[in-house]
Amino acid sequence: MPTKEAHNLVLGQYILFRMKKNKLNILPIAGILAILTSCSTEQIERVLDPLIEAPASTIERNVKGHEQIYAVQVILRLAQKRADGHAYVAYGLSNFVEPPIPVYQQIDISKDDFGRITIVSARKHFDVVKSNKYYYALELKYYDLNGKLINHQFSTYDAADLEGSTLLHHQHFFTLQNYSLYGQQLVYPMTLDSLYYDDFTFQKDGRNKRIESSEISPNNVYVPIEGSVENGVRYNERLAQKAIENSTTKAATKVYTDPSTGMQYKMYKTLLPTKLDDKVKQIFTYTYRDTDPVEDELFSKVKGLDDLGRQRVGKNVQLLQQNRDLTTEARRDYLGFKGILQFKKSNISFQMRVCIAHMITSTEKYIGPSNVRGVMHEHNEISPAWNSYDIDYPIAFRVIADTESDSRTFVKDVQRFYPGASEDKLLKMFANDSDWFSHFSKTTM
């Protein structure tokens, strides 16, 4: 049987242990002594438990694999080609200059409790201009549910394990989509006044006429029977929903009368996704500018080991090469975390489809659209054989003006959306003078 002194010593050590581990609120000394002399160990624990302040919960969930994408940052920067022609300078924010239209834009996306992708940032779309001299640098950052950047998980390479090398199985593609993240359907490319562009919306026959829907055509849009002209069908969210409901039913071939207006409509076939992909370069082009390591800035210095464990102290970050080769600049590889956009058509709004194709084998990524080995697929060349995507979402763009138009038209078009943009600032900003951006942060891509 332990002595009373030994009993008290054990209890004292127990209290100190619980105080250290659980941040016990300190009791008066007399109270503690009374507990020590009159209670058993079990009684002490019952007395102390209500007084214990547990440490804050810091659960870090076990995330395995890049398929656990939880959040996305989509960053768009105005850019110019460097004088050497080998890279681009992308502009960020400035503490000294307020640009007349955005130079840096960011959209944040996250998955909700049901796994649905939603926009959580105040900005819902990107505003851009068409130009022969100005570009836009697009950067995508993916995070797991613990908030950790995981872009590097898509670029692993091991010559002894090609099937397990994620670089060989993944590539972003940038095409066109017909729905938005804020719930709109059948949003094919249209004017800034919400009129469909026929060439980017409807299937045509040999006489360049729209083709009426059948009971088996999956994608269709309602067109007014009276007064319909080319590029004159206005987007209507309510009619779009009705077209979706009536597609692939007997109602698809019948006249629909809108009960709210009395107007009559017929459905016409719209472009299938593969045909829509063929139209992409009429609206925008994308040039892959991925780096090695993928999460670092081009031409910056690598600090120690890279993500593959290779010693690269003081070596420059370079453009991504096939097999993560560091000895060449001629065998480029594509992932799509960084790239350069250039817009080819103004007065247009569209949904850009951003998706990461997951190829099953380690070779199909490097077989071009014409079955030529060693040729990469460009940003709109999605193979019909690919049906697995790690993530697939649309981002809205508005091309609000054309810098190549006369200055008065350019300024007027911009001021429609940014009425505070002064003519003087706009013309100086787009005068192809890099000095105007001297006070903006810069990123090389």
Side-chain angles (χ1 to χ4, degrees):
M1 186 74 178
T3 65
K4 184 175 180 179
E5 290 76 10
H7 173 74
N8 288 347
L9 177 62
V10 171
L11 292 180
Q13 291 174 335
Y14 170 77
I15 291 174
L16 291 174
F17 172 79
R18 296 296 295 269
M19 289 174 64
K20 181 179 180 181
K21 292 294 183 182
N22 298 296
K23 301 179 180 178
L24 177 66
N25 293 323
I26 299 176
L27 294 173
I29 297 298
I32 293 178
L33 291 175
I35 292 172
L36 287 173
T37 57
S38 62
C39 297
S40 68
T41 303
E42 292 180 359
Q43 290 173 320
I44 288 289
E45 187 166 355
R46 284 199 301 271
V47 171
L48 292 179
D49 277 344
L51 304 174
I52 291 172
E53 180 183 340
S57 176
T58 56
I59 297 174
E60 181 163 305
R61 300 173 190 176
N62 186 23
V63 179
K64 295 182 179 180
H66 55 264
E67 68 276 3
Q68 300 295 328
I69 296 171
Y70 184 76
V72 187
Q73 282 184 342
V74 186
I75 301 169
L76 192 73
R77 302 176 175 93
L78 187 69
Q80 288 180 286
K81 188 174 288 188
R82 293 206 325 190
D84 60 13
H86 297 306
Y88 299 82
V89 178
Y91 303 113
L93 300 174
S94 171
N95 293 324
F96 305 99
V97 179
E98 180 67 31
I101 62 174
V103 169
Y104 177 98
Q105 302 172 70
Q106 180 174 319
I107 293 176
D108 298 323
I109 298 171
S110 184
K111 289 182 179 177
D112 63 17
D113 293 339
F114 301 98
R116 295 173 302 201
I117 298 174
T118 58
I119 296 176
V120 296
S121 57
R123 177 168 289 281
K124 309 299 182 186
H125 64 269
F126 290 133
D127 284 333
V128 298
V129 298
K130 173 184 176 291
S131 177
N132 292 335
K133 300 182 179 68
Y134 288 82
Y135 307 82
Y136 284 88
L138 182 68
E139 184 172 6
L140 303 173
K141 294 184 176 181
Y142 292 96
Y143 298 86
D144 65 18
L145 53 77
N146 293 316
K148 293 182 178 179
L149 186 62
I150 58 172
N151 288 16
H152 63 277
Q153 293 186 12
F154 293 86
S155 64
T156 64
Y157 177 77
D158 182 353
D161 182 15
L162 298 183
E163 294 304 324
S165 299
T166 57
L167 174 66
L168 309 184
H169 297 271
H170 295 92
Q171 183 178 337
H172 272 92
F173 289 92
F174 304 88
T175 57
L176 296 171
Q177 190 53 277
N178 65 358
Y179 72 92
S180 74
L181 283 180
Y182 30 91
Q184 293 174 310
Q185 301 293 327
L186 302 182
V187 280
Y188 292 91
M190 61 186 74
T191 71
L192 298 175
D193 291 321
S194 301
L195 297 174
Y196 284 122
Y197 281 107
D198 278 26
D199 284 348
F200 302 125
T201 304
F202 295 103
Q203 294 186 38
K204 302 288 189 67
D205 61 18
R207 297 177 299 166
N208 201 36
K209 300 293 185 181
R210 303 173 188 137
I211 301 174
E212 291 188 16
S213 301
S214 68
E215 291 185 13
I216 62 172
S217 53
N219 302 301
N220 312 278
V221 162
Y222 271 121
V223 175
I225 293 177
E226 297 293 334
S228 174
V229 296
E230 186 175 9
N231 300 328
V233 178
R234 187 172 299 280
Y235 174 74
N236 182 301
E237 187 170 356
R238 184 169 42 80
L239 285 175
Q241 184 59 42
K242 180 59 67 174
I244 291 173
E245 294 171 3
N246 288 345
S247 291
T248 66
T249 70
K250 291 183 178 180
T253 60
K254 295 179 180 179
V255 173
Y256 172 71
T257 302
D258 186 343
S260 64
T261 64
M263 290 184 62
Q264 293 187 314
Y265 297 84
K266 292 200 72 173
M267 278 208 292
Y268 287 81
K269 296 180 181 180
T270 57
L271 293 169
L272 298 174
T274 53
K275 295 299 181 183
L276 204 55
D277 293 346
D278 296 337
K279 305 277 188 179
V280 169
K281 290 187 176 181
Q282 297 178 40
I283 299 176
F284 70 88
T285 58
Y286 175 93
T287 303
Y288 291 91
R289 300 291 295 177
D290 294 288
T291 55
D292 186 348
V294 298
E295 293 174 356
D296 293 341
E297 182 180 345
L298 184 64
F299 302 146
S300 63
K301 299 295 183 182
V302 180
K303 299 176 182 179
L305 301 177
D306 67 14
D307 57 304
L308 296 187
R310 297 176 297 186
Q311 182 59 255
R312 295 170 66 179
V313 176
K315 301 293 184 181
N316 285 342
V317 174
Q318 67 175 51
L319 290 173
L320 181 66
Q321 303 293 310
Q322 294 182 31
N323 301 336
R324 297 288 299 270
D325 193 343
L326 300 178
T327 66
T328 178
E329 295 182 357
R331 298 181 65 244
R332 295 277 307 283
D333 207 334
Y334 298 163
L335 278 176
F337 293 110
K338 301 171 186 174
I340 298 295
L341 289 165
Q342 190 172 37
F343 297 94
K344 302 297 184 179
K345 186 176 180 62
S346 62
N347 187 31
I348 189 170
S349 63
F350 65 93
Q351 298 288 328
M352 178 186 288
R353 180 188 181 190
V354 181
C355 60
I356 305 178
H358 188 133
M359 295 79 162
I360 302 302
T361 71
S362 61
T363 57
E364 56 193 300
K365 177 180 175 181
Y366 306 96
I367 301 175
S370 300
N371 276 338
V372 179
R373 291 186 177 274
V375 175
M376 300 291 296
H377 290 249
E378 292 304 321
H379 68 91
N380 65 317
E381 295 175 337
I382 301 177
S383 170
W386 298 334
N387 58 11
S388 177
Y389 299 93
D390 286 327
I391 195 167
D392 191 346
Y393 56 95
I395 293 293
F397 282 80
R398 298 191 307 188
V399 188
I400 63 175
D402 184 351
T403 64
E404 309 306 316
S405 62
D406 65 86
S407 59
R408 179 176 295 182
T409 300
F410 170 65
V411 171
K412 182 180 177 181
D413 288 344
V414 170
Q415 289 178 340
R416 177 183 173 186
F417 299 94
Y418 292 88
S422 73
E423 178 178 357
D424 182 59
K425 277 191 174 182
L426 276 172
L427 296 182
K428 286 181 179 178
M429 178 178 174
F430 290 99
N432 200 29
D433 181 6
S434 58
D435 288 343
W436 193 89
F437 296 93
S438 59
H439 293 293
F440 289 80
S441 61
K442 298 173 179 64
T443 300
T444 302
M445 290 184 72

